[in-house]
Each structure stands twice: as C-alpha cells, then as structure tokens.
Amino acid sequence: STLSSSSAASDVYKRQNLDWRLLASQIYQESKFNPNAKSWTGASGLLQLLPQTAMAYNVDSTMLNNPEANLMAGTSYLKWLDGVLTQSITDSLERHKFVLASFNVGLGHVIDARNLTDKYGKDPTLWTGNVAEFIQKKSEKKFYSDEVCKHGYCRGSEPYAYVQEVMERYTHYVNPVSYTHLRAHETEAD
C-alpha cells in the first residue's frame, strides 16, 4: 500500500505541477503515508480530507482511502487555496505557509488572523512573527470575538505547529545532508 501511495503521489505532483518535497512533507504530517488513516474529525486518507472537501473535487467518501483519488482532490484544493492567496501574497514560499495553514484550519480562520495582524500593525503578508502570532491568538476570546474576525474560535496552536512542522521537514527534504559530508565529519572525529 505504501508503494502504491508513493507512486500515486509521484504521478499527482507531476500532473498538478507541485513541489513533491512539500507535498511529501504534508502527507507525512497528515497521515504518516497511511492511505487508511482516519482522524477524530472524520478526515481520511493520505491528505486527511474531510468528506465535504473531497466532494467539492468529485471524490465521494467511499474513495477517500484511494491514494490517487485522495491526492487528486487534496492537491486540487491546495491549488485552489494557492490561487485565492496569489494576489495578496506574491512570494510563493511565504504563500505556501498560508496555504498550509488554510488547509489545516480553514481559509476563513487564516483570513481572520490576517485581519487581526493588519489591525495590530503587523504585516498580513508574512507568516512568521506576524500572521502566525495572530492565528495562535484566535483561541482567545478577545481576539476571536474581534469585529475583524468572521469565523470565530479556532485552536490556533494547531495550524501554527502544522505549518512549522511541515515547513521544517520540507527544508530538510530540500537541503539533505549528504552522506559524504557525514562521513567526512566521522573521519575528523576519529
């Protein structure tokens, strides 16, 4: 099943023109590459899609554990989120953080956090130290009940940690430590 999941991921990232390393990091975060994973919220499959999200991309709940169907629906949703955010966040690497947070907690909560960030004089186009700070504050009544918030309470620590972990793993995938480099350090230590 893992081999077929890996093959499906490879096919999908090529068709959707996505960075496979970012997609792999996200799949690991969501399901640890288990196509049969199911969360307490009812999300299923490699990208842990909710049935209503999958249906928006023509994947019914009986297909959520099919790796290719789950990845096609999930990556289509990721591409949609990216398209929504492209105009206001032009830096693609920065935008990935917002897309990930939106995938995790919902676009509405991210928009609320951006509105709060702007209201409090920070940059709503930057994640780290800006919107990330306010997504965490969306679990505090003072912030989630603010007039600029339309989507209420969210457990802001979850999307904050999600973005941080996916991006950290992605950075390791992009910049792997070479075996030769490791052997050189072992030799020096001897």
Side-chain angles (χ1 to χ4, degrees):
S1 185
T2 303
L3 183 58
S4 66
S5 299
S6 168
S7 174
S10 174
D11 291 345
V12 168
Y13 93 81
K14 285 176 187 167
R15 279 186 294 214
Q16 293 280 36
N17 193 27
L18 296 167
D19 185 329
W20 68 269
R21 297 161 299 189
L22 184 59
L23 183 58
S25 180
Q26 187 175 9
I27 293 168
Y28 180 84
Q29 189 71 28
E30 291 287 353
S31 66
K32 307 285 189 277
F33 297 102
N34 177 0
N36 298 312
K38 189 165 179 103
S39 78
W40 64 272
T41 63
S44 297
L46 291 172
L47 280 170
Q48 290 295 283
L49 295 178
L50 290 168
Q52 60 269 31
T53 303
M55 278 302 290
Y57 297 96
N58 299 317
V59 173
D60 70 40
S61 59
T62 64
M63 294 295 293
L64 279 173
N65 293 341
N66 174 294
E68 188 166 4
N70 187 282
L71 289 170
M72 281 307 293
T75 56
S76 293
Y77 181 48
L78 287 166
K79 295 287 270 187
W80 178 81
L81 289 167
D82 187 70
V84 169
L85 295 165
T86 295
Q87 297 254 333
S88 60
I89 305 168
T90 55
D91 180 86
S92 64
L93 189 58
E94 197 63 33
R95 191 170 57 250
H96 287 318
K97 298 170 190 173
F98 288 85
V99 168
L100 289 168
S102 298
F103 187 94
N104 178 259
V105 75
L107 180 60
H109 290 300
V110 173
I111 290 169
D112 284 354
R114 291 185 72 198
N115 290 340
L116 286 165
T117 304
D118 189 48
K119 178 178 180 171
Y120 286 92
K122 292 204 164 197
D123 190 338
T125 67
L126 295 176
W127 181 258
T128 306
N130 290 274
V131 178
E133 177 184 327
F134 286 94
I135 197 82
Q136 291 181 90
K137 292 180 186 236
K138 280 214 53 196
S139 61
E140 300 172 30
K141 186 170 178 53
K142 172 187 175 184
F143 292 98
Y144 72 75
S145 62
D146 189 291
E147 66 185 24
V148 301
C149 289
K150 307 295 182 221
H151 298 90
Y153 172 88
C154 85
R155 287 186 302 236
S157 61
E158 290 181 16
Y160 174 84
Y162 182 86
V163 171
Q164 188 171 341
E165 291 168 21
V166 171
M167 292 306 293
E168 196 171 290
R169 188 177 309 104
Y170 170 66
T171 300
H172 289 295
Y173 291 168
V174 170
N175 302 308
V177 176
S178 74
Y179 179 73
T180 307
H181 182 71
L182 289 174
R183 293 293 300 152
H185 284 292
E186 286 176 4
T187 306
E188 289 172 8
D190 290 342

PDB file of all heavy atoms in Angstrom, residues 126-143:
ATOM      1  N   LEU A 126       3.106  38.252   5.752  1.00  0.00           N
ATOM      2  CA  LEU A 126       4.199  37.440   6.294  1.00  0.00           C
ATOM      3  C   LEU A 126       3.664  36.514   7.377  1.00  0.00           C
ATOM      4  O   LEU A 126       2.890  36.945   8.244  1.00  0.00           O
ATOM      5  CB  LEU A 126       5.301  38.328   6.880  1.00  0.00           C
ATOM      6  CG  LEU A 126       6.051  39.223   5.902  1.00  0.00           C
ATOM      7  CD1 LEU A 126       7.049  40.113   6.642  1.00  0.00           C
ATOM      8  CD2 LEU A 126       6.764  38.386   4.840  1.00  0.00           C
ATOM      9  N   TRP A 127       4.085  35.286   7.332  1.00  0.00           N
ATOM     10  CA  TRP A 127       3.613  34.302   8.305  1.00  0.00           C
ATOM     11  C   TRP A 127       4.357  34.438   9.631  1.00  0.00           C
ATOM     12  O   TRP A 127       3.791  34.781  10.654  1.00  0.00           O
ATOM     13  CB  TRP A 127       3.738  32.882   7.731  1.00  0.00           C
ATOM     14  CG  TRP A 127       3.245  31.845   8.677  1.00  0.00           C
ATOM     15  CD1 TRP A 127       4.000  31.021   9.475  1.00  0.00           C
ATOM     16  CD2 TRP A 127       1.885  31.536   8.976  1.00  0.00           C
ATOM     17  NE1 TRP A 127       3.191  30.233  10.249  1.00  0.00           N
ATOM     18  CE2 TRP A 127       1.880  30.530   9.954  1.00  0.00           C
ATOM     19  CE3 TRP A 127       0.660  32.021   8.521  1.00  0.00           C
ATOM     20  CZ2 TRP A 127       0.715  29.983  10.482  1.00  0.00           C
ATOM     21  CZ3 TRP A 127      -0.505  31.486   9.032  1.00  0.00           C
ATOM     22  CH2 TRP A 127      -0.470  30.477  10.004  1.00  0.00           C
ATOM     23  N   THR A 128       5.655  34.132   9.617  1.00  0.00           N
ATOM     24  CA  THR A 128       6.452  34.075  10.849  1.00  0.00           C
ATOM     25  C   THR A 128       6.499  35.433  11.535  1.00  0.00           C
ATOM     26  O   THR A 128       6.826  36.436  10.921  1.00  0.00           O
ATOM     27  CB  THR A 128       7.880  33.570  10.538  1.00  0.00           C
ATOM     28  OG1 THR A 128       7.767  32.319   9.843  1.00  0.00           O
ATOM     29  CG2 THR A 128       8.695  33.380  11.810  1.00  0.00           C
ATOM     30  N   GLY A 129       6.152  35.444  12.824  1.00  0.00           N
ATOM     31  CA  GLY A 129       6.188  36.667  13.618  1.00  0.00           C
ATOM     32  C   GLY A 129       5.069  37.649  13.315  1.00  0.00           C
ATOM     33  O   GLY A 129       5.006  38.725  13.910  1.00  0.00           O
ATOM     34  N   ASN A 130       4.198  37.305  12.407  1.00  0.00           N
ATOM     35  CA  ASN A 130       3.101  38.183  12.020  1.00  0.00           C
ATOM     36  C   ASN A 130       1.785  37.405  12.104  1.00  0.00           C
ATOM     37  O   ASN A 130       1.209  37.303  13.172  1.00  0.00           O
ATOM     38  CB  ASN A 130       3.357  38.761  10.618  1.00  0.00           C
ATOM     39  CG  ASN A 130       4.504  39.757  10.615  1.00  0.00           C
ATOM     40  OD1 ASN A 130       4.296  40.923  10.889  1.00  0.00           O
ATOM     41  ND2 ASN A 130       5.730  39.296  10.326  1.00  0.00           N
ATOM     42  N   VAL A 131       1.327  36.854  10.990  1.00  0.00           N
ATOM     43  CA  VAL A 131       0.052  36.133  10.981  1.00  0.00           C
ATOM     44  C   VAL A 131       0.111  34.898  11.893  1.00  0.00           C
ATOM     45  O   VAL A 131      -0.871  34.584  12.569  1.00  0.00           O
ATOM     46  CB  VAL A 131      -0.370  35.768   9.540  1.00  0.00           C
ATOM     47  CG1 VAL A 131      -1.665  34.975   9.539  1.00  0.00           C
ATOM     48  CG2 VAL A 131      -0.524  37.042   8.704  1.00  0.00           C
ATOM     49  N   ALA A 132       1.261  34.243  11.955  1.00  0.00           N
ATOM     50  CA  ALA A 132       1.402  33.076  12.840  1.00  0.00           C
ATOM     51  C   ALA A 132       1.091  33.441  14.288  1.00  0.00           C
ATOM     52  O   ALA A 132       0.477  32.659  15.022  1.00  0.00           O
ATOM     53  CB  ALA A 132       2.813  32.497  12.730  1.00  0.00           C
ATOM     54  N   GLU A 133       1.492  34.625  14.692  1.00  0.00           N
ATOM     55  CA  GLU A 133       1.220  35.100  16.056  1.00  0.00           C
ATOM     56  C   GLU A 133      -0.290  35.244  16.286  1.00  0.00           C
ATOM     57  O   GLU A 133      -0.815  34.854  17.326  1.00  0.00           O
ATOM     58  CB  GLU A 133       1.918  36.445  16.258  1.00  0.00           C
ATOM     59  CG  GLU A 133       1.687  37.096  17.587  1.00  0.00           C
ATOM     60  CD  GLU A 133       2.328  38.476  17.675  1.00  0.00           C
ATOM     61  OE1 GLU A 133       3.397  38.695  17.070  1.00  0.00           O
ATOM     62  OE2 GLU A 133       1.731  39.342  18.345  1.00  0.00           O
ATOM     63  N   PHE A 134      -0.984  35.771  15.290  1.00  0.00           N
ATOM     64  CA  PHE A 134      -2.422  36.030  15.459  1.00  0.00           C
ATOM     65  C   PHE A 134      -3.290  34.797  15.227  1.00  0.00           C
ATOM     66  O   PHE A 134      -4.393  34.725  15.773  1.00  0.00           O
ATOM     67  CB  PHE A 134      -2.852  37.229  14.613  1.00  0.00           C
ATOM     68  CG  PHE A 134      -2.363  38.509  15.212  1.00  0.00           C
ATOM     69  CD1 PHE A 134      -1.163  39.069  14.792  1.00  0.00           C
ATOM     70  CD2 PHE A 134      -3.061  39.123  16.246  1.00  0.00           C
ATOM     71  CE1 PHE A 134      -0.671  40.232  15.381  1.00  0.00           C
ATOM     72  CE2 PHE A 134      -2.583  40.290  16.842  1.00  0.00           C
ATOM     73  CZ  PHE A 134      -1.383  40.846  16.408  1.00  0.00           C
ATOM     74  N   ILE A 135      -2.794  33.823  14.458  1.00  0.00           N
ATOM     75  CA  ILE A 135      -3.570  32.578  14.337  1.00  0.00           C
ATOM     76  C   ILE A 135      -3.604  31.898  15.706  1.00  0.00           C
ATOM     77  O   ILE A 135      -4.608  31.332  16.107  1.00  0.00           O
ATOM     78  CB  ILE A 135      -3.048  31.638  13.219  1.00  0.00           C
ATOM     79  CG1 ILE A 135      -4.110  30.589  12.840  1.00  0.00           C
ATOM     80  CG2 ILE A 135      -1.775  30.919  13.602  1.00  0.00           C
ATOM     81  CD1 ILE A 135      -5.145  31.024  11.893  1.00  0.00           C
ATOM     82  N   GLN A 136      -2.509  31.997  16.443  1.00  0.00           N
ATOM     83  CA  GLN A 136      -2.465  31.415  17.795  1.00  0.00           C
ATOM     84  C   GLN A 136      -3.432  32.140  18.738  1.00  0.00           C
ATOM     85  O   GLN A 136      -4.042  31.531  19.605  1.00  0.00           O
ATOM     86  CB  GLN A 136      -1.056  31.484  18.364  1.00  0.00           C
ATOM     87  CG  GLN A 136      -0.090  30.556  17.660  1.00  0.00           C
ATOM     88  CD  GLN A 136       1.300  30.634  18.268  1.00  0.00           C
ATOM     89  OE1 GLN A 136       1.591  29.890  19.190  1.00  0.00           O
ATOM     90  NE2 GLN A 136       2.114  31.537  17.773  1.00  0.00           N
ATOM     91  N   LYS A 137      -3.570  33.443  18.558  1.00  0.00           N
ATOM     92  CA  LYS A 137      -4.437  34.246  19.432  1.00  0.00           C
ATOM     93  C   LYS A 137      -5.921  34.028  19.149  1.00  0.00           C
ATOM     94  O   LYS A 137      -6.766  34.445  19.926  1.00  0.00           O
ATOM     95  CB  LYS A 137      -4.089  35.730  19.302  1.00  0.00           C
ATOM     96  CG  LYS A 137      -2.724  36.045  19.867  1.00  0.00           C
ATOM     97  CD  LYS A 137      -2.383  37.501  19.729  1.00  0.00           C
ATOM     98  CE  LYS A 137      -0.965  37.729  20.169  1.00  0.00           C
ATOM     99  NZ  LYS A 137      -0.803  38.706  21.192  1.00  0.00           N
ATOM    100  N   LYS A 138      -6.250  33.340  18.040  1.00  0.00           N
ATOM    101  CA  LYS A 138      -7.656  33.093  17.713  1.00  0.00           C
ATOM    102  C   LYS A 138      -8.316  32.105  18.668  1.00  0.00           C
ATOM    103  O   LYS A 138      -9.502  31.816  18.549  1.00  0.00           O
ATOM    104  CB  LYS A 138      -7.793  32.614  16.273  1.00  0.00           C
ATOM    105  CG  LYS A 138      -7.731  33.801  15.308  1.00  0.00           C
ATOM    106  CD  LYS A 138      -8.590  33.656  14.101  1.00  0.00           C
ATOM    107  CE  LYS A 138      -9.990  33.343  14.429  1.00  0.00           C
ATOM    108  NZ  LYS A 138     -10.876  32.859  13.496  1.00  0.00           N
ATOM    109  N   SER A 139      -7.571  31.615  19.650  1.00  0.00           N
ATOM    110  CA  SER A 139      -8.189  30.782  20.686  1.00  0.00           C
ATOM    111  C   SER A 139      -8.539  31.626  21.922  1.00  0.00           C
ATOM    112  O   SER A 139      -9.107  31.118  22.880  1.00  0.00           O
ATOM    113  CB  SER A 139      -7.252  29.631  21.075  1.00  0.00           C
ATOM    114  OG  SER A 139      -6.046  30.147  21.591  1.00  0.00           O
ATOM    115  N   GLU A 140      -8.217  32.916  21.876  1.00  0.00           N
ATOM    116  CA  GLU A 140      -8.523  33.832  22.977  1.00  0.00           C
ATOM    117  C   GLU A 140      -9.742  34.674  22.602  1.00  0.00           C
ATOM    118  O   GLU A 140      -9.790  35.265  21.531  1.00  0.00           O
ATOM    119  CB  GLU A 140      -7.335  34.763  23.242  1.00  0.00           C
ATOM    120  CG  GLU A 140      -6.052  34.046  23.629  1.00  0.00           C
ATOM    121  CD  GLU A 140      -4.863  34.984  23.694  1.00  0.00           C
ATOM    122  OE1 GLU A 140      -5.033  36.189  24.007  1.00  0.00           O
ATOM    123  OE2 GLU A 140      -3.742  34.506  23.409  1.00  0.00           O
ATOM    124  N   LYS A 141     -10.704  34.739  23.525  1.00  0.00           N
ATOM    125  CA  LYS A 141     -11.971  35.445  23.265  1.00  0.00           C
ATOM    126  C   LYS A 141     -11.753  36.877  22.780  1.00  0.00           C
ATOM    127  O   LYS A 141     -12.432  37.338  21.860  1.00  0.00           O
ATOM    128  CB  LYS A 141     -12.859  35.427  24.511  1.00  0.00           C
ATOM    129  CG  LYS A 141     -14.246  36.012  24.261  1.00  0.00           C
ATOM    130  CD  LYS A 141     -15.158  35.763  25.433  1.00  0.00           C
ATOM    131  CE  LYS A 141     -16.521  36.349  25.288  1.00  0.00           C
ATOM    132  NZ  LYS A 141     -17.301  36.056  24.132  1.00  0.00           N
ATOM    133  N   LYS A 142     -10.797  37.579  23.378  1.00  0.00           N
ATOM    134  CA  LYS A 142     -10.521  38.963  22.987  1.00  0.00           C
ATOM    135  C   LYS A 142     -10.261  39.068  21.478  1.00  0.00           C
ATOM    136  O   LYS A 142     -10.642  40.037  20.839  1.00  0.00           O
ATOM    137  CB  LYS A 142      -9.302  39.484  23.760  1.00  0.00           C
ATOM    138  CG  LYS A 142      -8.811  40.830  23.288  1.00  0.00           C
ATOM    139  CD  LYS A 142      -7.508  41.234  23.947  1.00  0.00           C
ATOM    140  CE  LYS A 142      -7.017  42.529  23.319  1.00  0.00           C
ATOM    141  NZ  LYS A 142      -5.730  42.951  23.805  1.00  0.00           N
ATOM    142  N   PHE A 143      -9.622  38.056  20.925  1.00  0.00           N
ATOM    143  CA  PHE A 143      -9.258  38.101  19.508  1.00  0.00           C
ATOM    144  C   PHE A 143     -10.315  37.465  18.617  1.00  0.00           C
ATOM    145  O   PHE A 143     -10.698  38.040  17.598  1.00  0.00           O
ATOM    146  CB  PHE A 143      -7.878  37.473  19.300  1.00  0.00           C
ATOM    147  CG  PHE A 143      -6.788  38.289  19.920  1.00  0.00           C
ATOM    148  CD1 PHE A 143      -6.282  37.967  21.171  1.00  0.00           C
ATOM    149  CD2 PHE A 143      -6.291  39.419  19.276  1.00  0.00           C
ATOM    150  CE1 PHE A 143      -5.287  38.738  21.765  1.00  0.00           C
ATOM    151  CE2 PHE A 143      -5.309  40.201  19.865  1.00  0.00           C
ATOM    152  CZ  PHE A 143      -4.807  39.863  21.114  1.00  0.00           C
TER     153      PHE A 143
END
